[in-house]
């Protein structure tokens, strides 16, 4: 139950509210994540007036505000087409109008299109206070293991000069995926391969000067990936096909 509602005019004010010991105070972007919470009583901090809903291109970096909606990602022509596609596939049109990028990062699981491609792009999270930077991979590894009281994602940064391709399979075109493979490749040749479609978060397969070893690493990573949606053997075989498609496209 929401017992307090705040709409601060500055980032400092928002952080001060989030750092209160009581009541539990959480950021409110589009409200999708908050609506799914089961905590008894909480206060919410509305981020609408903090200017965190902009997408800015700066050199080889794209800066995505935490409150940018998924529909903004879909419509922005300056993003990699595959990043926009992942945002479109994440949820329905009505929910994309409300769901924010930061909220999707906090709540997304291993079957998230958006988390998978952001991890492939080695996205960086910017936090307040202090503009601390962490990689998305480091955040996902620790997500849920420790509280995030008093801190706030303000921005997500991704490489603009990286090529991106991802492939997935699902039971129906609009169903959630049972397997995703995303590949990002930089001009230097650096290549990151990420797999999703199961578990609590997508996983990094390789990050190296090229894609060498990716097929073997992918098969090893999926050896225990069986669940009610697909067997590990099925995922291992299909992943090789999806990987080849991605690498061929790049």
């Amino acid at each position: 139950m929401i017992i307090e509602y705040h709409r601060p005019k500055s980032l400092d004010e928002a952080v001060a509210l989030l750092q209160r010991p009581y009541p539990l105070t959480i950021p409110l972007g589009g409200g999708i994540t908050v609506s799914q919470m089961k905590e008894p009583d909480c206060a919410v901090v509305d981020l609408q007036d903090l200017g965190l809903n902009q997408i800015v291109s700066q050199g080889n970096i794209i800066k995505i505000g935490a409150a940018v909606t998924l529909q903004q990602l879909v419509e922005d022509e300056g993003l990699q087409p595959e990043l926009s596609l992942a945002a479109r596939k994440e949820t329905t049109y009505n929910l994309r109008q409300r769901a924010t990028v930061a909220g999707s990062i906090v709540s997304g699981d291993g079957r998230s299109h958006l988390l998978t491609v952001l991890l492939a792009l080695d996205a960086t999270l910017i936090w307040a206070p202090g503009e601390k930077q962490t990689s998305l991979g480091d955040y996902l590894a620790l997500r849920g293991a420790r509280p995030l009281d008093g801190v706030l994602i303000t921005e997500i940064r991704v490489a603009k000069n990286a090529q991106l391709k991802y492939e997935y399979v699902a039971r129906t075109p609009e169903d959630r995926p049972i397997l995703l493979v995303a590949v990002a490749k930089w001009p230097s040749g650096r290549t990151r391969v990420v797999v999703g479609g199961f578990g609590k978060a997508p996983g990094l397969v390789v990050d190296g000067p090229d894609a060498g070893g990716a097929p073997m690493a992918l098969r090893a990573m999926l050896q225990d990936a069986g669940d009610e949606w697909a067997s590990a053997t099925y995922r291992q075989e299909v992943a090789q096909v999806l990987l080849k498609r991605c690498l061929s496209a790049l």
Side-chain angles (χ1 to χ4, degrees):
M1 177 180 177
I2 297 176
I3 58 175
E4 290 181 11
Y5 170 84
H6 302 273
R7 191 165 176 171
K9 301 299 182 181
S10 71
L11 193 55
D12 288 342
E13 184 183 354
V15 170
L17 287 165
L18 293 170
Q19 290 179 337
R20 298 183 301 172
Y22 181 84
L24 171 67
T25 306
I26 57 178
L28 174 66
I32 305 300
T33 303
V34 173
S35 67
Q36 298 171 351
M37 292 183 62
K38 299 179 181 180
E39 280 76 2
D41 293 329
C42 67
V44 295
V45 177
D46 194 326
L47 308 179
Q48 289 188 65
D49 294 341
L50 301 184
L52 302 179
N53 61 343
Q54 304 297 315
I55 301 174
V56 178
S57 177
Q58 189 175 81
N60 287 328
I61 299 296
I62 298 173
K63 299 181 178 181
I64 303 170
V68 165
T69 66
L70 299 191
Q71 188 58 29
Q72 283 179 264
L73 293 185
V74 173
E75 297 173 356
D76 194 293
E77 296 181 355
L79 301 178
Q80 290 97 331
E82 296 291 281
L83 179 54
S84 296
L85 174 63
R88 183 172 68 82
K89 289 291 185 179
E90 190 74 1
T91 188
T92 63
Y93 175 78
N94 287 339
L95 289 180
R96 292 198 305 269
Q97 299 277 14
R98 296 171 51 201
T100 64
V101 178
S104 300
I105 288 173
V106 170
S107 62
D109 61 15
R111 301 178 73 189
S112 166
H113 290 263
L114 187 61
L115 269 186
T116 302
V117 300
L118 286 176
L119 185 58
L121 287 169
D122 199 14
T124 298
L125 308 182
I126 310 300
W127 301 81
E131 292 197 1
K132 178 182 177 182
Q133 300 186 21
T134 61
S135 71
L136 175 61
D138 286 345
Y139 167 70
L140 292 177
L142 296 172
R143 187 177 58 174
R146 61 187 183 191
L148 295 176
D149 299 341
V151 296
L152 175 69
I153 299 174
T154 60
E155 188 176 276
I156 299 92
R157 297 179 182 177
V158 297
K160 184 179 180 180
N161 63 339
Q163 294 178 279
L164 175 67
K165 179 64 179 174
Y166 88 101
E167 294 279 349
Y168 71 96
V169 291
R171 293 181 177 178
T172 68
E174 298 305 319
D175 198 4
R176 299 198 74 201
I178 57 178
L179 187 67
L180 303 96
V181 174
V183 181
K185 184 177 181 180
W186 279 255
S188 65
R190 178 195 178 191
T191 304
R192 282 173 64 91
V193 178
V194 170
V195 64
F198 58 95
K200 295 181 178 180
L204 177 64
V205 180
V206 295
D207 182 353
D210 53 43
M216 185 178 298
L218 186 57
R219 186 174 294 277
M221 194 166 185
L222 294 171
Q223 63 183 354
D224 296 318
D227 57 20
E228 66 272 21
W229 293 92
S231 68
T233 301
Y234 172 82
R235 284 193 169 108
Q236 284 180 312
E237 295 305 318
V238 174
Q240 300 299 319
V241 176
L242 301 186
L243 176 63
K244 288 179 181 179
R245 289 178 183 174
C246 290
L247 294 176
S248 177
L250 295 177

